[in-house]
Amino acid sequence: MSEKMLSLYDYLGRAAGSILGKQVATCAKHETRFVENLKYTGDIMLYPETFLKFYFNGSRANRLTK
């Protein structure tokens, strides 16, 4: 069974922005998926859901918000 992969947008419910996106990307293995819609066309990063839960609920998230 493969792990559920999510974009930061899907996980956070909002655009993450380039700074947060780069911070997350440097900490995890990721996959990409091509999307095309009215606001964005291009590749998006997908991360394991378990990693995102750890990243945003762990001590690292506290350091990002300060």
Side-chain angles (χ1 to χ4, degrees):
M1 184 171 175
S2 64
E3 180 151 17
K4 185 176 181 181
M5 301 293 282
L6 297 170
S7 68
L8 288 176
Y9 184 90
D10 291 334
Y11 184 78
L12 298 172
R14 62 176 175 79
S18 62
I19 293 171
L20 179 57
K22 288 176 187 175
Q23 290 172 336
V24 173
T26 62
C27 295
K29 292 184 180 179
H30 58 273
E31 298 175 3
T32 59
R33 178 177 65 211
F34 183 81
V35 296
E36 187 173 3
N37 60 48
L38 294 175
K39 294 189 176 193
Y40 181 78
T41 298
D43 288 326
I44 60 168
M45 306 285 211
L46 302 173
Y47 303 94
E49 183 176 28
T50 54
F51 165 78
L52 293 173
K53 286 179 180 179
F54 172 79
Y55 188 91
F56 287 103
N57 294 321
S59 61
R60 183 165 186 78
N62 294 329
R63 285 180 280 174
L64 290 174
T65 58
K66 292 182 180 178

